[in-house]
Amino acid sequence: MSDTMRYAYFPGCSAAGTSIPYTLSAGFIAKKIGLELVEIPDWNCCGTSAALVTDRDLAVALPARSLAIAEHNAATAGLDVATPCAGCFASLKSARDYAASSEQRRARVEAMIGESYSATADVFSFLELMAQEAAATAIEQAIQDAALTLAGLKVACYYGCALVRPASICRFDDNENPQSMDRLVALTGAEPVEWAFKTECCGASHQMTEPAAARQLIERIFVDAAANGAELIATACPLCMLNLDLRLAEVNKRRQEAGQTTFDIPVFYFTELLGLCMGGGVRQLGIDRHFHPAEPQAKRLRTLQQLAEEQAAREAAEAAEAARQRDVRKEEAARKKSEAAADAVPAAAGQGTVADEKEVHA
Amino acid sequence: MQTADLSAIAADDLKLAAKIARQAGVGLDDCYQCGKCTAGCPMAHAMDLVPRQVIRALQLGQVERAVNAKGSWVCANCMVCSARCPQGVDISQLMLAVRHYGKKHGLRPEPDADKFDDAFVANIRNFGKSNEAILAAKYNLVSGHLLQDLGSVPKMLSRGMIGPKIHGVKDKKSVRAVVDRVLKDGGQQ
């Protein structure tokens, strides 16, 4: 990891488009915690899965061009690379690892991009760099300073594929039950739920090319999140976000027609949740730009004082209720005692019926 | 259930299958057909040959059967199969190698996926960056799914997610040169 929180920033193509809320919320956090993101000049698309299924070399060459620019540019030279997008992360890190794996391969990459490239800088996703100790501590501090909380909100942290698989390239967290996002989300006071679909695939570009087959991948994610009590899903990937958030309406429509329950489970970037608790506004963080309305869950934000007052009020109410029940029990006991005393005379005289006795004992 | 005459497998077919597997760094003999890959595959329900069957076909030298199947094209490359294989077989890389072989030989059993990827690469070659709206529009045009996702357009516009501005790199020539250089050489295949 970098010694300071300073990175060469690769925004990815969605940063100025479909994932504006991610850009806004991550930028807000960066400012708050002193994370410096220096944009790689004239970076190009990483190629993502389209390059990979077209040609293995193309999947290396496209990200390598941007990585080489980062090396050559004075403002970004020597910095590790950071990207918000899981797909960009996978492409950049795979290309970097390929070039770093042998001198021969590095030379091949240089020939493909027509530039020198040493492949020394490492690549991090926003999730990984924010989960690192320095950033996580700063985030925790900023949340404490803002004295805000999302206490009580149940969150299903969704990691998807590209941040954790393949483990040999990602070298980050557990690829079946990752915890890094859960730990960050817990800093807000929200409650990450245990669920089974943390690293299941959202269908990626198949939501466009194989919609009939791929829709159920989205639906299953919502079904499992709901079954485990989640009120929202947190994600760290623009494509996971788009697929889940954009397609939820269609999933709900289908379920309604089939007479099944629908889901009111908005999808958030994990950075939006952190940003809220650092004092960021709904518009400022882009939370008002979601397809499935996310504002109701954002309104669950309270100050720590409100939380303390609520807790005090709840405890007072509980104490009052306990006292009331105690009184009721006392009255009941006293009533039974006096009834039993009154009944005792005929019962002792042998005139009581079986029904009477049952009533007394009931 | 299908049967295969194991004594009739041609050595050349086995060699070709092994060659494809080598592109993926996979040894075909490592697979003992437990099916763990397919049990966790999120797209298996939409495949004609599931991952376990693709690798079995290659073990039997049935390259044509593996390549003509939609399986490797329906694969979402989520890599769950590779992560869970008890033998460490990188199945998702193998699915990719089968797809690459098919594409190189003009076999595209799942044309829509192929059109999307071609449109995506063309988008990068033209602009250096991927323009999501242009990509979606072009894909709809070439695939014939003209109205797909059209309902989302007004919402995307109002949220500033798409707009009239085309994103691109300044040095378009250099990105175009990278794409052309790599694809002209026939790549790493």
Side-chain angles (χ1 to χ4, degrees), chain A residues 22-341:
Chain A
Y22 201 5
T23 310
L24 293 173
S25 54
F28 178 83
I29 295 174
K31 254 190 204 143
K32 283 272 174 192
I33 67 170
L35 168 67
E36 232 183 302
L37 300 169
V38 188
E39 186 165 337
I40 300 171
D42 214 34
W43 57 271
N44 60 279
C45 172
C46 75
T48 182
S49 60
L52 187 61
V53 297
T54 301
D55 184 274
R56 283 181 205 277
D57 276 346
L58 189 62
V60 171
L62 284 171
R65 178 188 173 274
S66 302
L67 292 170
I69 292 176
E71 275 186 4
H72 300 150
N73 182 264
T76 49
L79 298 179
D80 284 336
V81 175
T83 181
C85 171
C88 297
F89 165 75
S91 305
L92 292 165
K93 193 146 180 171
S94 299
R96 183 258 176 204
D97 276 13
Y98 177 83
S101 63
S102 78
E103 198 48 39
Q104 192 197 354
R105 284 179 169 181
R106 199 182 57 76
R108 281 196 77 232
V109 174
E110 287 185 338
M112 288 191 279
I113 61 175
E115 289 184 70
S116 68
Y117 173 49
S118 73
T120 43
D122 205 349
V123 178
F124 294 94
S125 69
F126 272 17
L127 177 61
E128 183 172 7
L129 75 87
M130 288 190 194
Q132 285 172 347
E133 204 185 332
T137 307
I139 288 169
E140 189 174 12
Q141 188 60 52
I143 292 174
Q144 274 174 17
D145 291 346
L148 292 168
T149 179
L150 285 167
L153 197 59
K154 292 195 172 166
V155 179
C157 292
Y158 176 61
Y159 298 73
C161 308
L163 292 169
V164 291
R165 283 190 300 265
S168 60
I169 287 174
C170 298
R171 302 190 287 280
F172 167 65
D173 217 328
D174 186 280
N175 67 26
E176 294 285 359
N177 187 15
Q179 296 293 331
S180 46
M181 198 195 310
D182 293 61
R183 281 194 291 269
L184 284 171
V185 165
L187 295 176
T188 67
E191 190 187 320
V193 301
E194 290 283 331
W195 67 310
F197 278 64
K198 278 183 169 181
T199 62
E200 285 290 317
C201 182
C202 73
S205 65
H206 280 1
Q207 294 301 346
M208 283 198 75
T209 57
E210 305 276 342
R215 285 297 191 268
Q216 61 179 276
L217 273 62
I218 293 174
E219 185 163 346
R220 293 192 315 162
I221 290 166
F222 281 107
V223 168
D224 195 63
N228 289 285
E231 295 165 279
L232 67 92
I233 290 174
T235 177
C237 171
L239 188 52
C240 295
M241 172 57 129
L242 187 65
N243 280 341
L244 295 178
D245 184 35
L246 176 64
R247 315 281 182 197
L248 177 55
E250 193 186 318
V251 165
N252 275 339
K253 189 168 169 245
R254 193 207 67 73
R255 289 180 66 87
Q256 196 163 29
E257 282 163 8
Q260 295 166 305
T261 52
T262 57
F263 304 117
D264 178 21
I265 300 181
V267 189
F268 280 72
Y269 288 108
F270 76 103
T271 45
E272 292 175 313
L273 298 175
L274 297 176
L276 271 176
C277 277
M278 292 179 185
V282 164
R283 285 194 66 180
Q284 190 178 16
L285 300 169
I287 294 170
D288 59 337
R289 298 186 191 228
H290 294 205
F291 289 96
H292 187 90
E295 288 94 335
Q297 274 73 358
K299 280 190 184 129
R300 298 271 295 277
L301 184 76
R302 285 161 296 165
T303 63
L304 287 179
Q305 193 182 342
Q306 280 170 324
L307 179 70
E309 282 166 9
E310 273 172 38
Q311 260 168 3
R314 194 167 50 241
E315 278 164 22
E318 277 168 13
E321 173 65 13
R324 195 187 64 78
Q325 283 180 4
R326 215 165 34 239
D327 289 347
V328 168
R329 276 199 303 276
K330 262 188 201 163
E331 271 174 38
E332 182 77 353
R335 190 177 57 78
K336 278 184 185 162
K337 206 175 169 186
S338 65
E339 277 174 10

Side-chain angles (χ1 to χ4, degrees), chain B residues 33-184:
Chain B
Q33 291 285 297
C34 73
K36 180 78 174 163
C37 49
T38 304
C41 175
M43 292 299 290
H45 64 277
M47 292 177 175
D48 42 8
L49 287 194
V50 295
R52 183 190 63 75
Q53 290 170 313
V54 170
I55 192 166
R56 186 61 183 150
L58 293 178
Q59 285 176 331
L60 297 172
Q62 299 169 353
V63 173
E64 218 172 300
R65 182 158 163 255
V67 172
N68 278 309
K70 289 182 179 181
S72 70
W73 294 74
V74 171
C75 165
N77 200 29
C78 78
M79 294 182 260
V80 158
C81 51
S82 301
R84 292 180 185 166
C85 174
Q87 287 286 88
V89 176
D90 200 340
I91 330 263
S92 77
Q93 283 293 327
L94 186 69
M95 298 292 268
L96 190 59
V98 168
R99 182 168 171 167
H100 281 153
Y101 181 87
K103 184 156 177 149
K104 210 173 170 185
H105 290 82
L107 299 168
R108 303 176 181 202
E110 198 62 3
D112 279 358
D114 197 46
K115 283 171 190 160
F116 176 83
D117 295 321
D118 285 351
F120 202 115
V121 171
N123 208 328
I124 299 172
R125 189 179 174 277
N126 286 334
F127 306 113
K129 286 177 184 160
S130 170
N131 285 268
E132 292 154 317
I134 293 176
L135 171 66
K138 186 170 174 193
Y139 167 71
N140 285 4
L141 208 61
V142 295
S143 66
H145 305 303
L146 294 179
L147 302 179
Q148 177 168 286
D149 289 330
L150 213 58
S152 308
V153 168
K155 272 193 164 184
M156 287 202 169
L157 278 169
S158 69
R159 284 161 173 74
M161 289 174 169
I162 55 175
K165 199 176 156 219
I166 292 175
H167 305 286
V169 296
K170 284 192 216 93
D171 189 0
K172 290 196 175 58
K173 266 189 204 157
S174 84
V175 177
R176 187 167 292 192
V178 169
V179 174
D180 291 347
R181 207 178 292 137
V182 170
L183 294 185
K184 180 176 66 74

Side-chain angles (χ1 to χ4, degrees), chain B residues 21-34:
Chain B
R22 262 201 308 281
Q23 297 292 335
V26 165
L28 291 172
D29 293 346
D30 288 342
C31 170
Y32 50 50
Q33 291 285 297
C34 73

